[in-house]
Amino acid sequence: MKIKQLTVATLLLLLATSCGEKRQDFPFRNPDLPLEERIDDLLSRLTPEEKVGQMMNTTPAIERLGIPAYDWWNEALHGVARAGQATVFPQAIALAATFDDEAVHETFTMVSDEARAKYHQYQRDKEYDRYKGLTFWTPNINIFRDPRWGRGMETYGEDPYLTEKMGVAVVRGLQGDDPAYLKTHACAKHYAVHSGPEWNRHEFDVEVSPRDLYETYLPAFEALVKEADVQEVMCAYNRFEGKPCCGSDRLLIDILRNGWGYDGIIVSDCGAINDFWQKDKNTPRHETHPDAESASADAVLSGTDLECGDSYKALIKAMADGKITEADLDVSLRRLLKGRFELGMFDPDERMPYARIPYSVVESPEHVAKALEMARKSIVLLKNKNNLLPLSKELRKIAVVGPNALDSTMQWANYNGFPTKTVTILEGIREKVPNTNVIYELGCGHTADFVMKDLGGYITSAAGQGFASEFFNNTDFSGAPVYTGLAKELHYTTGGNTQFAPNVNLTHFSARFTGEFEAPMDGAIELKLSGNDAFRLYIGTEKVAEVWENEYGAEKAYTLNAKKGEKYPIKIEYMQRLGSADLNFSIGVPTPVDYRGTADKVKDADVILFVGGISPRLEGEEMPVDAEGFRKGDRTNIELPTVQKKMIQALVATGKPVVYIVCTGSALALNWENEHVDAIVNAWYSGQQGGKAVADVLFGDYNPAGRLPITFYKSVEQLPDFLDYSMKGRTYRYMTQTPLYPFGYGLSYTTFAYENARLSKDRISTDEPVTLSFDVTNTGKRDGDEVAQIYIKNPNDPNGPIKALKAFKRVHVKAGESQSLSVTLASKAFQSFNDNTQTMEVRPGNYQILYGGSSADNDLQRINIIIE
């Protein structure tokens, strides 16, 4: 045979060429074949080990098939997150405050444009690690049932209907409308009945009535499945009826798959499968299963296709032990592979319309303008005594005080990207009134009763005053530095396209900073280092602080007991491996807050603007926070931190008008402030254009029309126990007490009247829609937006909600003019839970349709309807 005469080298070349040709000819690579044929072909080529590898979020490459690695974990809560440069829109709770689901859809169409542009660039650069894919684990549609929950800022508030409308808008914006390909995947999370506390989420077993389950906790998930065709659902950490959610046959099989017909991907929350079986004395867990094999098999058989984590490695042993079969894995693999095919991951770019989106859309002027629009729309005017606002642009002197005035990262909230430019509130004010003397005083921090006196000027090096810096285009400080220089301050962020220094990579680099600190005094001096990824702090040769794992927003502090005149060598090492680079260093001495001193410095201003509230560094996901009123990201009370309350009281005592600009992701009990401060503006965590938006509202270039998507309670005394998931007494739907500010509330610089209400019919059948029409008239002197809200009250259901939002519409009305609105209420709007049949249904009887500008009874008018 001729083949025997070939050299070994020639034979290997022919085999390699043959394999290469076959790789291109695999049927699963042919985009013209039916989807099921492609799935069948690829599935048939995978080994059991490869199948298991494809069922964890970090999927390895399958080189023999030409399939690169892929990480399913990506985030886009309010813009593409954790992957460098991106437009940062206001936080989700702020987007809910816009009461404009059409604008939210437009926003997330822009987010998915940026996502696609970034993904295709990563593919060209052969970068396949985390936060670089197309599967986004957003939106968070849990119900913000209690303001103490730190992650409530990630949600769309306390109301099921508002959450449903915003969630559907997000999903449709992310997933696109191309008939052949999905733009990205959205993910409805965290399924289900999940809203704190953070400190016990790995062991908590939720108890909830069937009524609350179907009327409050499930409707948004059902809508995203049935109306928006969401492609992924994330099961939560907690247990439900004794079983972890990611192994709950009731939630995943009975309700989600069989009840709603969901055939998409179910993904676990990160590490949730570990909670089934791991024992951890520091973090109590469910411990419902004896080992990883049992836990993983149970999760898959319950419908959890993809694990964020690594417990599924045990599926190989679980198969060997007979706890699960390869055919069981194939059920999940089909859903996972279908998702990747529909995203076009195995097709050439020329077949993919979204591959043509240019990278220039990332933080483009159009997207930045949208961030400004959404920040403006989200701002809620809570109080405006004697029409103090809007302020005149001709004021002589304005004082700005407070911890959030110059804090750009506060505006980014959490699960965020990194903009190249953030307009802080102080900057926005100064830009708005360039001819006014705008002075700034920090005054106080968020919670501590001291501020830091900066001592950075006492650090010197051979390069001058500051740190000598060395940068390396690798992550191990090897070779010669690509840049050396002087760093007077260590406040860096790449923002995705801004280098730390010339010739330095945007990613995968390391840096070393060295200097000598000469103590100007005896006593305790605090050194604080924070940033993304990895850093170390040395005093002399001693390593005193370290974060050397991939982390976002990590912070470490060290107290130096210094002696005056003594010199202390300082070395900081930084390593960037993942996402966007960020590094900040400060050195200073704690100084007690001087309330009277701050007030004296600003008492000659025409108006004092206090920019306070809380911060995403205090509230959020399972955070190591140790401050009064906070616990692991949650809050133990809803009061304004004491130090800020005292500062505001000192400012009010000056007798000058005081405007309180609140930055928060949740409700605050602003009782004293509401009584004594002249105006209160809720700015939330407002994204990269937040400062400009706040200034536009303060000075009348934008008429505020945001509405509260949550109730602002007077204190925790108005709330049930945090661990109680019953809706009794919670939110505007069940609260019988009077809140500080009701759901749907928000003031304007103008006034509106509702007139000429009429129904298309005053009697309908149980399956019939009805249309409510009315006129909204602007009775003031300024153009503005009004948010018309429609609620249903069902007197026939004594155990149901007092009232429930069923429609809303944000409209712009010019001064002195009217807008005619028509809202169609489907029969679903009149559904309630039947305790006897355990189902949702429309029952005959007399109903009230309420309409007006907030959920408060005195803001609503009524019209009756009979359902027969």
Side-chain angles (χ1 to χ4, degrees):
M1 295 177 64
K2 290 185 177 180
I3 193 169
K4 293 181 179 179
Q5 301 174 5
L6 297 175
T7 64
V8 173
T10 304
L11 181 60
L12 290 175
L13 178 61
L14 286 172
L15 287 172
T17 304
S18 175
C19 288
E21 290 173 352
K22 286 182 179 178
R23 174 182 295 180
Q24 300 305 316
D25 291 341
F26 289 140
F28 77 82
R29 292 244 173 230
N30 184 352
D32 294 319
L33 288 179
L35 177 61
E36 288 303 317
E37 284 189 30
R38 301 179 73 186
I39 294 171
D40 287 342
D41 179 67
L42 179 51
L43 191 60
S44 71
R45 299 177 188 280
L46 300 179
T47 67
E49 290 78 13
E50 288 170 338
K51 290 179 180 180
V52 169
Q54 297 297 304
M55 294 176 66
M56 293 178 283
N57 70 286
T58 304
T59 64
I62 306 176
E63 295 182 2
R64 64 187 180 83
L65 300 178
I67 298 175
Y70 182 72
D71 198 314
W72 287 78
W73 186 351
N74 210 341
E75 304 286 355
L77 181 62
H78 52 115
V80 178
R82 298 179 174 179
Q85 180 190 6
T87 307
V88 178
F89 296 93
Q91 176 60 295
I93 194 69
L95 295 177
T98 68
F99 275 71
D100 190 340
D101 52 322
E102 293 178 5
V104 169
H105 176 265
E106 294 165 0
T107 297
F108 278 86
T109 298
M110 293 180 176
V111 172
S112 56
D113 281 348
E114 295 195 11
R116 269 290 178 176
K118 292 171 79 70
Y119 169 77
H120 289 288
Q121 186 59 53
Y122 290 136
Q123 292 293 299
R124 288 188 284 270
D125 295 340
K126 300 189 184 306
E127 295 183 25
Y128 308 122
D129 47 328
R130 186 169 298 165
Y131 308 127
K132 295 178 180 177
L134 290 173
T135 45
F136 291 94
W137 293 348
T138 200
N140 183 339
I141 54 170
N142 293 131
I143 297 301
F144 196 1
R145 65 183 180 92
D146 193 302
R148 287 168 287 196
W149 185 35
R151 295 191 74 179
M153 68 165 128
E154 302 173 24
T155 75
Y156 300 98
E158 69 184 37
D159 181 73
Y161 180 78
L162 179 62
T163 299
E164 170 187 318
K165 296 297 287 185
M166 294 297 177
V168 167
V170 170
V171 171
R172 288 176 172 165
L174 286 177
Q175 296 187 169
D177 56 5
D178 187 83
Y181 292 101
L182 286 162
K183 195 175 185 183
T184 72
H185 274 194
C187 177
K189 68 181 188 184
H190 308 81
Y191 182 74
V193 200
H194 177 85
S195 53
E198 286 297 296
W199 57 267
N200 70 350
R201 64 182 184 168
H202 300 285
E203 60 169 333
F204 187 48
D205 187 7
V206 172
E207 295 181 7
V208 64
S209 69
R211 173 183 288 272
D212 287 338
L213 180 68
Y214 282 96
E215 286 191 346
T216 299
Y217 294 112
L218 292 186
F221 286 98
E222 183 177 7
L224 264 62
V225 168
K226 292 183 175 179
E227 296 178 30
D229 192 27
V230 70
Q231 294 297 300
E232 297 182 28
V233 172
M234 177 181 285
C235 45
Y237 284 115
N238 54 276
R239 272 177 286 161
F240 174 74
E241 297 180 343
K243 292 185 177 182
C245 288
C246 292
S248 169
D249 50 357
R250 170 91 189 282
L251 287 176
L252 303 184
I253 299 175
D254 295 347
I255 297 175
L256 181 59
R257 294 216 187 272
N258 294 341
W260 299 342
Y262 178 70
D263 60 359
I265 295 164
I266 298 176
V267 55
S268 81
D269 208 336
C270 295
I273 308 303
N274 292 33
D275 292 342
F276 286 30
W277 63 276
Q278 279 189 344
K279 294 177 173 58
D280 188 334
K281 63 180 180 180
N282 296 319
T283 303
R285 301 179 188 273
H286 301 308
E287 296 183 32
T288 52
H289 294 68
D291 49 45
E293 301 87 65
S294 301
S296 299
D298 194 15
V300 174
L301 293 172
S302 297
T304 303
D305 307 302
L306 182 73
E307 182 207 12
C308 181
D310 59 5
S311 284
Y312 274 13
K313 290 179 180 178
L315 287 170
I316 297 297
K317 188 173 187 301
M319 282 191 286
D321 293 345
K323 295 178 179 179
I324 197 168
T325 67
E326 187 174 350
D328 295 322
L329 302 190
D330 288 350
V331 173
S332 289
L333 261 296
R334 286 186 176 279
R335 289 191 278 254
L336 294 170
L337 295 178
K338 177 176 179 285
R340 295 184 70 176
F341 278 116
E342 290 178 337
L343 287 165
M345 291 184 177
F346 301 110
D347 294 355
D349 275 0
E350 54 266 26
R351 295 288 292 263
M352 171 62 57
Y354 298 125
R356 295 190 286 272
I357 297 173
Y359 199 88
S360 58
V361 303
V362 178
E363 207 183 4
S364 64
E366 180 187 10
H367 290 192
V368 174
K370 192 68 174 181
L372 174 60
E373 175 196 332
M374 300 308 285
R376 285 169 168 165
K377 285 186 170 182
S378 73
I379 292 173
V380 184
L381 181 61
L382 297 175
K383 181 182 179 182
N384 193 18
K385 181 181 177 182
N386 298 326
N387 294 321
L388 172 64
L389 299 178
L391 299 172
S392 168
K393 296 178 183 177
E394 306 303 321
L395 294 176
R396 173 188 57 87
K397 185 175 184 179
I398 297 173
V400 180
V401 182
N404 282 330
L406 201 53
D407 189 344
S408 60
T409 58
M410 171 276 300
Q411 295 174 204
W412 301 348
N414 68 350
Y415 283 91
N416 59 280
F418 300 91
T420 56
K421 171 63 178 175
T422 301
V423 182
T424 66
I425 293 173
L426 178 62
E427 290 170 334
I429 292 167
R430 283 178 167 162
E431 290 172 6
K432 181 64 67 175
V433 286
N435 298 322
T436 298
N437 181 17
V438 179
I439 64 171
Y440 167 66
E441 290 289 331
L442 172 62
C444 65
H446 289 103
T447 60
D449 59 358
F450 61 85
V451 292
M452 297 301 297
K453 179 181 178 182
D454 181 38
L455 299 179
Y458 293 90
I459 295 175
T460 59
S461 65
Q465 182 181 343
F467 288 98
S469 61
E470 301 173 281
F471 290 86
F472 305 82
N473 280 338
N474 52 64
T475 57
D476 58 4
F477 306 91
S478 61
V482 295
Y483 175 83
T484 59
L486 174 67
K488 290 192 174 184
E489 294 182 339
L490 298 189
H491 296 291
Y492 289 110
T493 181
T494 62
N497 69 352
T498 304
Q499 296 167 299
F500 265 31
N503 303 318
V504 178
N505 293 341
L506 294 177
T507 60
H508 294 87
F509 68 90
S510 54
R512 181 183 295 122
F513 306 92
T514 53
E516 189 173 67
F517 172 68
E518 183 174 350
M521 61 188 74
D522 292 333
I525 294 173
E526 183 176 276
L527 294 82
K528 185 179 291 184
L529 200 58
S530 65
N532 294 338
D533 231 332
F535 53 77
R536 293 171 175 149
L537 172 65
Y538 296 83
I539 304 295
T541 59
E542 182 184 1
K543 182 171 60 180
V544 297
E546 177 181 40
V547 171
W548 211 248
E549 298 293 333
N550 291 356
E551 292 194 24
Y552 280 85
E555 182 175 278
K556 294 288 183 180
Y558 174 75
T559 300
L560 173 67
N561 294 314
K563 294 183 178 179
K564 183 177 180 179
E566 194 155 322
K567 297 180 179 179
Y568 299 89
I570 297 176
K571 179 174 69 173
I572 296 167
E573 293 180 336
Y574 177 73
M575 180 171 65
Q576 199 286 333
R577 295 168 294 191
L578 183 66
S580 184
D582 186 75
L583 179 68
N584 295 278
F585 170 79
S586 63
I587 183 170
V589 59
T591 304
V593 172
D594 185 356
Y595 304 102
R596 177 66 180 273
T598 299
D600 286 344
K601 290 179 182 178
V602 302
K603 65 183 180 181
D604 63 338
D606 297 315
V607 64
I608 301 170
L609 310 179
F610 182 79
V611 190
I614 49 181
S615 164
R617 291 184 288 276
L618 292 169
E619 59 174 342
E621 182 178 6
E622 203 172 8
M623 301 168 66
V625 174
D626 182 19
E628 181 183 355
F630 298 87
R631 181 185 183 189
K632 291 201 77 171
D634 294 325
R635 290 186 290 159
T636 57
N637 63 58
I638 58 173
E639 305 297 321
L640 188 67
T642 302
V643 63
Q644 292 188 55
K645 185 176 290 288
K646 289 182 177 179
M647 181 58 69
I648 293 173
Q649 290 170 345
L651 298 176
V652 170
T654 64
K656 292 300 178 72
V658 176
V659 179
Y660 180 22
I661 300 162
V662 183
C663 301
T664 181
S666 49
L668 291 167
L670 303 171
N671 301 290
W672 190 94
E673 293 74 20
N674 183 62
E675 186 174 347
H676 295 92
V677 171
D678 296 277
I680 303 176
V681 176
N682 189 353
W684 309 103
Y685 302 138
S686 51
Q688 69 183 83
Q689 288 287 294
K692 183 172 175 55
V694 168
D696 287 343
V697 167
L698 290 176
F699 294 95
D701 289 334
Y702 188 84
N703 189 349
R707 300 292 186 264
L708 292 180
I710 49 177
T711 299
F712 271 47
Y713 302 88
K714 293 179 179 178
S715 74
V716 292
E717 300 302 317
Q718 290 189 321
L719 287 163
D721 186 275
F722 192 7
L723 294 173
D724 182 0
Y725 265 73
S726 167
M727 290 305 296
K728 183 179 180 180
R730 292 189 183 279
T731 77
Y732 81 94
R733 294 166 62 236
Y734 289 95
M735 185 181 184
T736 57
Q737 304 173 70
T738 302
L740 179 63
Y741 306 118
F743 173 89
Y745 170 82
L747 300 176
S748 171
Y749 294 153
T750 189
T751 53
F752 298 92
Y754 288 73
E755 301 169 316
N756 304 319
R758 60 253 181 225
L759 292 173
S760 57
K761 291 184 177 181
D762 57 9
R763 291 174 178 266
I764 58 173
S765 63
T766 56
D767 60 354
E768 190 177 1
V770 66
T771 299
L772 171 67
S773 301
F774 53 87
D775 299 331
V776 176
T777 301
N778 185 335
T779 56
K781 297 180 180 179
R782 286 177 176 266
D783 299 350
D785 288 4
E786 170 66 341
V787 177
Q789 302 163 45
I790 295 89
Y791 298 83
I792 300 294
K793 185 178 181 68
N794 182 4
N796 313 291
D797 185 9
N799 298 319
I802 298 168
K803 64 175 80 75
L805 182 72
K806 295 300 177 182
F808 59 86
K809 182 66 176 177
R810 182 169 179 146
V811 292
H812 186 75
V813 189
K814 292 184 178 181
E817 297 187 3
S818 297
Q819 285 271 11
S820 295
L821 296 182
S822 291
V823 177
T824 298
L825 297 167
S827 60
K828 177 184 173 184
F830 298 93
Q831 281 188 345
S832 60
F833 188 77
N834 188 319
D835 294 301
N836 295 321
T837 63
Q838 297 285 288
T839 58
M840 295 290 292
E841 61 183 41
V842 179
R843 284 175 280 187
N846 297 319
Y847 290 76
Q848 291 180 352
I849 300 176
L850 316 177
Y851 60 96
S854 89
S855 67
D857 286 343
N858 58 5
D859 289 333
L860 293 170
Q861 299 180 50
R862 290 163 172 75
I863 191 166
N864 296 319
I865 187 169
I866 297 173
I867 298 182
E868 300 176 322

